[in-house]
């Protein structure tokens, strides 16, 4: 048989197939050599002598033993019956061993990922649980403070003395923080070392007399004005109205930050500020612009404004503070109040502006309860930022409005008309709009796009499932349906 070899040594289609499939017995010209060897073998009848068959086969195979490369495949073919299977088993064992070494780190990495996800889920659940507890604690402490003030006013009306007395309790903020540090920290620090560490909020040199007077005086005055105006408003308005109007401080913080700190302009927060102002006007209109109502609204709005100014100036001059620095700063305000503002209630006492018969006649139980709840509120606000999400603290503050409303309804001290109820709801909605993050629009768009992608994927899955079902039914009926692309 005349076989014409290709330039690459591949003679026939069978050679090409063997070469492509990687047949281990293949060598160039294998199929042609096999065909020639088959054609050279003569068939003999049974019992007949065929002496030429062995010689012809040896003559045909002898050229293959000329070179070592061409004899190797023949030797490999001859030894396949004894060693080919064992060789494949050894190769499979080696591959399985390599796969085992590769899959082991993959399994460990998957286990680490699962553990990391479990830990993140546990931390989120713990933060949410702490957040729920902080929300209830913040709202209840603020409601309790407001209601105790209303109860105290029945027998004792000295708002500035009450403000001064409750502000003095701020001195205990840092000792409470240090007690928590001793209970939770692994490396304990001495009180003086911790005090010096937390005093860095005033600068690298710590707290000096100059900084004590320069930085503490304006914030102490704003703190006293905020609380004093809040207590004055509680004399003119109900607890529900005052707590709702005080929620406008978020809108004032945004406006001052935009003007003074050059913060990012956000249209939604402008809308929230407009809603807050609308609620203020409606609150004053609820009592037909009565004199006491207008004065009470002015006091409450003034308290919200001084609170906003306090927060903006704190951010401007002192920046952000951790829990220890905040405790140090609030305690410093308490010391400043005790040292430099104590003369004011003395003057008011001797001028008969705020006068009481004797110290024994003072309602010490209500005063201590008010001061304790006020201190607890300030501590919870700062602790909540550490333990949970800061937005939950603001939600706890706005929840004091329905809390005070429920207490006022039980005490039958307030009658909700349509205007007052609408004003309260508008102010609360504006407060919640202030809690939106700066990139809320981008987050909303990403969320909407993800929902659209999920719907499109579900639609494609439904189409593929229906087409597969249609094909299976058509095959069962003996026909094949090909959907158009």
């Amino acid at each position: 048989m005349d076989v014409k070899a290709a330039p690459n040594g591949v003679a026939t289609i069978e050679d090409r197939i063997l070469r492509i499939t990687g047949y281990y017995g293949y060598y160039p010209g294998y199929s042609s050599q096999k065909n020639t060897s088959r054609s050279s073998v003569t068939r003999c009848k049974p019992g007949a002598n065929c002496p030429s068959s062995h010689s012809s086969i040896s003559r045909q195979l002898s050229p293959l033993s000329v070179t070592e490369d061409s004899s190797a495949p023949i030797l490999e073919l001859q030894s396949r019956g004894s060693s080919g299977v064992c060789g494949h088993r050894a190769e499979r064992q080696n591959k399985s061993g390599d796969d085992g070494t590769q899959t082991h780190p993959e399994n460990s990495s998957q286990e680490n990922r699962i553990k990391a996800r479990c830990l993140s889920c546990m931390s989120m659940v713990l933060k949410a649980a702490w957040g729920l507890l902080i929300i209830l604690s913040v709202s209840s402490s603020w409601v309790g403070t407001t209601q105790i003030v209303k109860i105290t006013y029945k027998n004792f009306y000295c708002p500035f003395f009450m403000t001064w007395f409750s502000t003095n309790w701020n001195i205990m903020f840092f000792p409470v923080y240090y007690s928590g540090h001793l209970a939770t920290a692994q490396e304990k620090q001495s009180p003086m070392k911790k005090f010096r560490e937390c005093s860095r909020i005033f600068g690298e040199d710590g707290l000096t007399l100059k900084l004590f007077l320069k930085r503490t005086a304006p914030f102490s005055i704003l703190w006293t004005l905020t609380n004093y105006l809040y207590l004055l408003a509680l004399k003119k308005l109900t607890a529900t109205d005052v707590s709702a109007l005080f929620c406008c401080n978020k809108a004032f913080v945004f406006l001052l930050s935009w003007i003074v700190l050059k913060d990012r302009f956000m249209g939604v927060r402008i809308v929230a500020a407009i809603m807050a102002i609308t609620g203020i006007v409606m609150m004053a209109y609820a009592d037909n612009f009565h004199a006491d109502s207008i004065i009470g609204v002015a006091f409450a709005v003034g308290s919200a404004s001084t609170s906003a100014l306090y927060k903006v100036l704190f951010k401007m001059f002192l920046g952000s503070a951790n829990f220890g620095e905040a405790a140090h700063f609030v305690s410093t305000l308490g010391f400043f109040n005790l040292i430099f503002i104590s003369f004011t209630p003395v003057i008011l006492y001797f001028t008969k502006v705020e006068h009481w018969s004797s110290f024994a006649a003072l309602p010490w139980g209500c005063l201590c309860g008010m001061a304790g709840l006020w201190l607890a509120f300030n501590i919870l606000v700062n602790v909540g930022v550490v333990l949970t999400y800061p937005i939950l603290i603001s939600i706890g503050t706005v929840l004091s409005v329905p809390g005070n409303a429920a207490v006022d309804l039980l005490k039958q001290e307030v009658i909700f008309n349509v205007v007052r109820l609408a004003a309260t709801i508008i102010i609360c909605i504006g407060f919640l709009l202030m809690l939106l993050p700066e990139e809320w629009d981008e987050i909303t768009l990403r969320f909407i796009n993800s929902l659209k992608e999920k719907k499109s994927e579900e639609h494609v899955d439904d189409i593929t499932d229906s087409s597969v079902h249609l094909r299976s039914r058509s095959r069962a009926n003996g026909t094949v349906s090909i959907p158009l692309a």
Side-chain angles (χ1 to χ4, degrees), residues 141 145 165-166 169 172 366-377:
S141 61
T145 302
F165 181 78
S166 62
W169 282 53
M172 294 187 292
C366 292
L367 291 176
C368 292
M370 176 199 67
L373 286 175
W374 221 322
L375 176 63
F377 174 80

Side-chain angles (χ1 to χ4, degrees), residues 156-400:
F156 183 77
Y157 179 68
C158 296
F160 193 88
F161 176 79
M162 295 167 65
T163 303
W164 172 82
F165 181 78
S166 62
T167 305
N168 288 334
W169 282 53
N170 289 338
I171 298 173
M172 294 187 292
F173 199 155
F174 187 80
V176 171
Y177 162 74
Y178 184 73
S179 300
H181 165 74
L182 292 178
T184 58
Q186 295 180 354
E187 297 181 359
K188 308 293 191 289
Q189 295 182 2
S190 62
M192 288 304 299
K193 186 176 181 180
K194 195 67 179 176
F195 185 84
R196 290 172 184 171
E197 179 183 345
C198 296
S199 63
R200 292 177 183 173
I201 188 174
F202 294 98
E204 293 295 332
D205 298 332
L207 182 61
T208 60
L209 180 61
K210 181 180 179 180
L211 289 175
F212 176 74
L213 297 175
K214 182 180 178 181
R215 296 290 175 89
T216 309
F219 291 105
S220 180
I221 293 171
L222 288 174
W223 183 287
T224 303
L225 274 177
T226 299
N227 296 337
Y228 180 60
L229 292 173
Y230 189 83
L231 295 184
L232 289 176
L234 286 173
K235 183 64 177 179
K236 304 293 183 180
L237 300 174
T238 62
T240 305
D241 296 343
V242 176
S243 58
L245 290 169
F246 188 75
C247 289
C248 296
N249 67 339
K250 279 286 183 181
F252 299 149
V253 167
F254 164 70
L255 294 175
L256 288 174
S257 300
W258 179 41
I259 296 170
V260 178
L261 301 179
K262 307 299 181 182
D263 282 358
R264 178 185 174 186
F265 175 81
M266 291 182 62
V268 66
R269 293 186 178 178
I270 289 292
V271 173
I274 295 172
M275 293 177 69
I277 296 171
T278 304
I280 292 169
V281 176
M282 293 178 65
M283 193 69 72
Y285 176 75
D287 293 327
N288 295 323
F289 292 101
H290 192 268
D292 288 341
S293 177
I294 294 176
I295 294 173
V297 170
F299 284 151
V301 174
S303 177
S305 302
T306 52
S307 175
L309 184 60
Y310 174 92
K311 294 178 180 178
V312 172
L313 291 179
F314 187 92
K315 186 177 181 181
M316 178 186 294
F317 293 108
L318 300 177
S320 59
N322 55 30
F323 185 33
E325 293 173 347
H328 182 282
F329 185 76
V330 175
S331 295
T332 306
L333 293 181
F335 275 110
F336 187 92
N337 181 79
L338 180 63
I339 297 171
F340 294 100
I341 304 182
S342 296
F343 68 92
T344 306
V346 175
I347 294 174
L348 294 176
Y349 175 79
F350 286 107
T351 56
K352 305 294 182 179
V353 176
E354 291 187 0
H355 185 76
W356 55 90
S357 59
S358 63
F359 284 97
L362 293 177
W364 291 109
C366 292
L367 291 176
C368 292
M370 176 199 67
L373 286 175
W374 221 322
L375 176 63
F377 174 80
N378 293 322
I379 292 175
L380 287 170
V381 167
N382 290 277
V383 170
V385 176
V386 178
L387 295 179
T388 184
Y389 304 100
I391 190 174
L392 299 180
I393 309 300
S394 301
I395 293 175
T397 304
V398 77
L399 284 179
S400 64

Side-chain angles (χ1 to χ4, degrees), residues 112-170:
N112 293 330
R113 290 175 184 174
I114 293 171
K115 289 180 180 179
R117 289 178 182 177
C118 292
L119 290 175
S120 63
C121 291
M122 286 296 295
S123 63
M124 290 179 64
V125 170
L126 287 176
K127 268 196 170 186
W130 278 112
L132 181 60
L133 183 61
I134 292 294
I135 285 175
L136 296 176
S137 302
V138 167
S139 60
S140 59
S141 61
W142 192 246
V143 170
T145 302
T146 306
Q147 294 298 328
I148 289 177
V149 170
K150 296 290 288 184
I151 293 171
T152 308
Y153 278 170
K154 294 179 179 179
N155 301 319
F156 183 77
Y157 179 68
C158 296
F160 193 88
F161 176 79
M162 295 167 65
T163 303
W164 172 82
F165 181 78
S166 62
T167 305
N168 288 334
W169 282 53
N170 289 338

Side-chain angles (χ1 to χ4, degrees), residues 407-418:
V407 176
D408 289 342
L409 286 174
L410 291 175
K411 293 166 59 178
Q412 297 181 353
E413 290 185 358
V414 63
I415 300 174
F416 283 101
N417 53 19
V418 178

